[in-house]
């Protein structure tokens, strides 16, 4: 080839060697990128999506391995345990371990018993964190609980309180004291005090539905007690609208400060009120407010 190049192109030996070296450099420049990609993996080519996908796959794979490990561990513990009839209220820690529980799990059950905890029915075992649903299903056929119910509670000095059944009574609530109000079925001492306090602020009840204005006494409670009460409207304490001052009016829960000032100022400017029609001329008083306070006013 060298002779042919010399004859055809007239290259000298030095020119031939230079040309050969040039071809070698060109070939190296072309091949190098492919060789780099082949032997050196460029992590920079990965996108953020690719990295996140790889990371999630690693996490999922680890969780799956951990889950399989725990399942195998629990199955091994089931296999180790031997089954026999037992009373969870009396067996010692060694018996729990024979059933397949670890020492820590068995001790947690004994701690529960030592604090006064008892198993009254088989399903009570589900309350224990140490007993998984799978373990409960395995042990359930072998649980035999004795001394349950009232006899067992009496043996442990647990006093069971019994309350006499309340007979339905009819109470007049405008005159009843808290002791009498407490006789209403569904009304305890706390509600009796609240009813009495609110009644004193009002001056008495003129209809049963006003009881739902007592704090905490909702419509459900009202339906429970309404048949046990009656109202004597003659017991209502009246307010003389023509002589009452600000202090006397502000005690009433149906009147606000601005309304009281308007009532007094109108009276000063126009004289005494002769009836509800005059009260309606006080614009700040809504029809609803006038309807609420009417039973408590006298002129």
């Amino acid at each position: 080839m060298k002779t042919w190049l010399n004859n055809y192109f007239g290259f000298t030996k030095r020119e031939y060697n230079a040309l050969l070296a040039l071809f070698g450099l060109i070939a190296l420049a072309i091949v190098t990128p492919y060789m780099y990609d082949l032997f050196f993996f460029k992590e920079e080519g990965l996108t953020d999506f690719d990295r996140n996908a790889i990371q999630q796959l690693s996490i999922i794979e680890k969780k799956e391995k951990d889950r399989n490990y725990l399942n195998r561990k629990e199955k091994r513990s089931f296999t180790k345990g031997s089954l026999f009839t037992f009373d969870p209220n009396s067996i010692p820690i060694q018996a729990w371990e024979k059933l397949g529980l670890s020492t820590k799990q068995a001790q947690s059950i004994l701690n529960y018993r030592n604090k006064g905890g008892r198993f009254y029915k088989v399903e009570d075992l589900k309350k224990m964190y140490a007993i998984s649903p799978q373990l409960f299903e395995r042990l359930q056929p072998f649980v035999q609980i004795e001394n349950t119910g009232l006899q067992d509670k009496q043996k442990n000095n647990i006093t069971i309180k019994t309350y006499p059944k309340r007979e339905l009574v009819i109470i007049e609530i405008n005159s009843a004291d808290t002791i009498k109000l407490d006789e209403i079925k569904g009304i305890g001492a706390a509600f009796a005090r609240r009813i009495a306090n609110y009644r004193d602020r009002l001056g008495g009840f003129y209809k049963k539905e006003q009881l739902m204005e007592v704090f905490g006494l909702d419509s459900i409670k009202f339906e429970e007690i309404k048949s046990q009460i009656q109202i004597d409207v003659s017991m209502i304490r009246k307010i003389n609208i023509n002589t009452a001052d600000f202090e006397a009016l502000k005690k009433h829960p149906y009147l606000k400060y601005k309304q009281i000032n308007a009532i007094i100022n109108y009276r000063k400017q126009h004289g005494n009120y002769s009836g509800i029609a005059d009260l309606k001329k006080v614009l700040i008083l809504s029809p609803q407010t006038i309807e609420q306070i009417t039973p408590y006013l006298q002129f």
Side-chain angles (χ1 to χ4, degrees), residues 10-71:
F11 288 159
T12 63
K13 181 179 181 180
R14 179 177 295 179
E15 290 172 338
Y16 169 77
N17 290 335
L19 182 62
L20 187 61
L22 179 60
F23 285 150
L25 289 175
I26 292 173
L28 183 61
I30 294 173
V31 173
T32 297
Y34 297 100
M35 295 299 293
Y36 182 81
D37 286 340
L38 180 62
F39 293 103
F40 300 98
F41 175 72
K42 296 195 297 181
E43 187 178 356
E44 291 76 6
L46 293 176
T47 64
D48 290 339
F49 177 82
D50 295 332
R51 293 191 185 93
N52 290 334
I54 293 172
Q55 185 178 10
Q56 292 300 320
L57 287 173
S58 300
I59 294 173
I60 294 172
E61 184 179 1
K62 184 178 183 302
K63 287 183 177 179
E64 187 64 27
K65 287 181 179 178
D66 293 342
R67 189 181 299 109
N68 292 337
Y69 171 76
L70 292 175
N71 289 338

Side-chain angles (χ1 to χ4, degrees), residues 1-144:
M1 181 178 179
K2 178 179 178 181
T3 305
W4 179 77
L5 287 173
N6 286 335
N7 295 333
Y8 190 79
F9 292 100
F11 288 159
T12 63
K13 181 179 181 180
R14 179 177 295 179
E15 290 172 338
Y16 169 77
N17 290 335
L19 182 62
L20 187 61
L22 179 60
F23 285 150
L25 289 175
I26 292 173
L28 183 61
I30 294 173
V31 173
T32 297
Y34 297 100
M35 295 299 293
Y36 182 81
D37 286 340
L38 180 62
F39 293 103
F40 300 98
F41 175 72
K42 296 195 297 181
E43 187 178 356
E44 291 76 6
L46 293 176
T47 64
D48 290 339
F49 177 82
D50 295 332
R51 293 191 185 93
N52 290 334
I54 293 172
Q55 185 178 10
Q56 292 300 320
L57 287 173
S58 300
I59 294 173
I60 294 172
E61 184 179 1
K62 184 178 183 302
K63 287 183 177 179
E64 187 64 27
K65 287 181 179 178
D66 293 342
R67 189 181 299 109
N68 292 337
Y69 171 76
L70 292 175
N71 289 338
R72 289 196 301 272
K73 185 178 180 181
E74 189 167 24
K75 288 180 181 178
R76 286 198 300 270
S77 67
F78 286 172
T79 305
K80 290 179 183 178
S82 57
L83 296 174
F84 51 87
T85 301
F86 69 97
D87 184 349
N89 288 314
S90 59
I91 63 171
I93 189 171
Q94 294 82 1
W96 284 112
E97 292 174 347
K98 287 182 180 179
L99 289 168
L101 277 72
S102 67
T103 303
K104 185 177 180 181
Q105 290 172 323
Q107 187 60 52
S108 69
I109 297 176
L110 262 64
N111 291 340
Y112 169 76
R113 283 178 7 197
N114 293 336
K115 292 178 181 179
R118 300 286 292 173
F119 302 99
Y120 296 104
K121 56 183 184 296
V122 177
E123 289 73 16
D124 289 345
L125 284 171
K126 291 181 178 181
K127 300 176 183 178
M128 304 303 300
Y129 291 111
I131 298 180
S132 66
Q134 295 83 357
L135 181 56
F136 174 78
E137 292 298 326
R138 182 171 178 264
L139 299 179
Q140 183 181 10
F142 300 91
V143 179
Q144 184 175 342

Side-chain angles (χ1 to χ4, degrees), residues 161-167 185:
K161 294 182 179 180
T162 57
Y163 299 93
K165 185 177 180 180
R166 283 191 175 187
E167 298 294 333
K185 186 177 180 180

Side-chain angles (χ1 to χ4, degrees), residues 221-246:
K221 178 65 69 176
F222 173 72
E223 290 296 325
E224 181 183 354
I225 67 173
K226 69 178 183 179
S227 61
Q228 304 175 65
I229 62 176
Q230 63 183 13
I231 293 176
D232 182 358
V233 294
S234 66
M235 301 290 295
I236 292 177
R237 186 176 65 253
K238 301 281 187 174
I239 301 173
N240 191 322
I241 194 67
N242 289 319
T243 59
D245 59 10
F246 185 89

Side-chain angles (χ1 to χ4, degrees), residues 243-278:
T243 59
D245 59 10
F246 185 89
E247 291 299 321
L249 292 173
K250 80 172 185 178
K251 296 177 182 178
H252 204 283
Y254 289 159
L255 292 174
K256 297 180 175 60
Y257 284 9
K258 289 183 179 180
Q259 293 172 328
I260 296 171
N261 284 327
I263 290 171
I264 294 174
N265 289 333
Y266 186 90
R267 188 178 65 195
K268 289 179 180 179
Q269 295 174 8
H270 303 280
N272 289 344
Y273 297 96
S274 59
I276 296 299
D278 288 341

